[in-house]
Amino acid sequence: MASTPGGGRRTRGTRVHVVSDVHGNARDLARAKDGADALVCLGDLVLFLDYADHSRGIFPDLFGTENAHRIVEMRTARRFEEARDFQRGLWAGIGVDRATAIETAVRKQYAEMFSAFPTPTYATYGNVDVPPLWPEYARPGTTVLDGQRVEIGGWTFGFVGGGLRTPMRTPYEIDDEEYAAKIEAVGEVDVLCTHIPPEVPELVYDTVARRFERGSKALLDAIRRTRPRYSLFGHVHQPLVRRMRIGATECVNVGHFASTGRPWALEF
């Protein structure tokens, strides 16, 4: 039972916990559904490089923390071509196939992440995820959706994964037109779940990275047109604004789960 604003009691409805940007935090992911009817995950399971702790992730495991410091410095300064040249030199220096080494490391992380998912989990991809690998690791009880809808507790949830093209060239970046088509396929829903935010300056600016991440204009247009109850997303780890209304829709950055370990709760 839960309290009503007037102080009375009401029968408990549905409670959904939502996480995004898990980036290797399997320990907290395993208990993220505790007290809820379902878990929703908005992607970015892989940890390639932790900008807060440069000793964590695939990159420092391969090349060490000092080189991780250098690559973060270049990226933060938007010296993306210099960063790519630096990485090419590092790969040449260790003499291993880049694609094979990264896939091996991603597979190891996915085995841990998907084993931690509680039942039921509804998940979509983030921009650093590798979608072709997900069917190998998603167990019964984990439903993967992208440009699709599902009903949870009588409400319709729509899911659109991935990110848009950026100079970072992360694994699951797609063209604006392809992303817009997935938004269109979802249609009218109660809760619109995406990895990236709508293209609103306050929602896409990262105060620590000191840059605007890419948000979606198609998503913003859909929010204004279809008026979902909620638009939930992640991607921007330290946003200028975590929550705002766009018309009838409550837009919420559900947080950087890798650092907080706390899901965002939706009750209805």
Side-chain angles (χ1 to χ4, degrees):
M1 300 284 285
S3 297
T4 64
R9 310 293 287 180
R10 62 176 173 83
T11 303
R12 181 184 180 277
T14 299
R15 182 181 177 96
V16 175
H17 285 176
V18 190
V19 301
S20 186
D21 300 270
V22 178
H23 294 303
N25 189 350
R27 181 192 62 186
D28 290 323
L29 184 63
R31 53 178 180 252
K33 178 182 165 285
D34 290 357
D37 299 289
L39 178 71
V40 165
C41 178
L42 304 183
D44 272 11
L45 303 183
V46 172
L47 178 60
F48 188 74
L49 176 58
D50 189 332
Y51 277 53
D53 180 354
H54 302 169
S55 68
R56 298 181 62 244
I58 295 171
F59 187 92
D61 286 350
L62 288 167
F63 303 116
T65 303
E66 286 303 315
N67 284 323
H69 289 330
R70 294 185 63 187
I71 204 74
V72 168
E73 179 185 2
M74 293 174 196
R75 287 180 173 180
T76 302
R78 300 178 179 83
R79 305 196 315 263
F80 298 114
E81 287 298 332
E82 183 181 347
R84 276 191 283 275
D85 289 342
F86 179 63
Q87 287 189 78
R88 279 192 285 267
L90 291 175
W91 283 107
I94 63 173
V96 300
D97 179 69
R98 176 175 182 166
T100 301
I102 290 178
E103 181 175 321
T104 299
V106 169
R107 285 182 176 277
K108 181 179 178 181
Q109 291 190 12
Y110 276 166
E112 186 178 14
M113 294 296 105
F114 279 92
S115 293
F117 272 140
T119 298
T121 292
Y122 302 91
T124 195
Y125 316 111
N127 61 293
V128 302
D129 284 312
V130 184
L133 297 182
W134 279 37
E136 297 183 38
Y137 295 94
R139 304 176 302 169
T142 297
T143 303
V144 180
L145 304 114
D146 189 16
Q148 298 161 292
R149 302 148 54 105
V150 69
E151 185 175 299
I152 306 173
W155 278 19
T156 302
F157 287 65
F159 291 78
V160 174
L164 298 174
R165 304 285 183 196
T166 72
M168 300 287 282
R169 299 181 186 175
T170 52
Y172 191 41
E173 294 181 355
I174 61 177
D175 293 334
D176 289 54
E177 295 76 14
E178 183 180 352
Y179 193 89
K182 292 196 294 184
I183 292 286
E184 185 68 24
V186 165
E188 295 186 13
V189 295
D190 294 295
V191 185
L192 187 48
C193 300
T194 58
H195 178 67
I196 63 174
E199 192 179 74
V200 177
E202 295 89 342
L203 296 176
V204 301
Y205 185 74
D206 191 304
T207 59
V208 173
R210 302 192 303 276
R211 65 169 179 255
F212 289 96
E213 303 289 355
R214 282 214 65 191
S216 169
K217 184 178 184 301
L219 173 57
L220 178 59
D221 291 344
I223 291 168
R224 289 170 170 163
R225 184 178 69 255
T226 66
R227 299 163 60 88
R229 300 171 191 259
Y230 289 90
S231 166
L232 307 180
F233 48 87
H235 186 56
V236 183
H237 293 177
Q238 296 87 199
L240 184 64
V241 172
R242 292 195 175 275
R243 188 167 184 156
M244 69 186 298
R245 291 193 72 83
I246 298 176
T249 303
E250 190 74 12
C251 299
V252 184
N253 183 320
V254 300
H256 182 202
F257 187 77
S259 63
T260 68
R262 297 189 302 273
W264 184 81
L266 172 63
E267 292 188 84
F268 53 95

